[in-house]
Amino acid sequence: SIMLKQENTTYKCSDYLNKISSLNKQNMGSIKSVDSQCRFKMVEWFIHVATISRMNEEVVGHAANYLDRYLSTNSGTTVLFDRTKFRLAALTSLYIAVKLSETVKFDAAHLSYLSGGVFSKESIVRMEESILLS
């Protein structure tokens, strides 16, 4: 009973995709925000990276969970209006998942490389801090 209460209050994740969809309708689609297809592509990318890096499949679930929980917060909501920041949040969520559950270690510089240099080591570290403090 206590665990169920905690799950329904403390760990609750909002339906951010539905919320952003209704905001887009109000703005008549003028904002190119994150949608379910963006999230799907990020999870596919998590699976790809985990597979080629020979990581445990659970890291994908952890990364998606961290991303969803972050996007459900006030800080994370702002990311939903910028697909580049969304990609940074997704990359960083994978980084956190790897740090917490894998023996294979990535550093922020390696993730910067994986992003094709789109994200600097410093921007990854700042996003990590934002996710962890949310």
Side-chain angles (χ1 to χ4, degrees), residues 81-111:
F81 295 100
D82 184 334
R83 289 185 176 196
T84 301
K85 286 184 182 178
F86 172 75
R87 287 192 298 273
L88 175 60
L91 176 88
T92 306
S93 295
L94 180 62
Y95 178 47
I96 294 167
V98 169
K99 284 172 76 172
L100 295 176
S101 63
E102 280 295 323
T103 55
V104 173
K105 297 298 176 196
F106 287 168
D107 62 5
H110 182 70
L111 286 176

Side-chain angles (χ1 to χ4, degrees), residues 2-18:
I2 292 173
M3 290 179 74
L4 184 57
K5 181 181 177 186
Q6 189 174 24
E7 180 67 28
N8 289 330
T9 56
T10 308
Y11 301 127
K12 193 168 184 179
C13 223
S14 71
D15 184 359
Y16 61 85
L17 290 174
N18 193 24

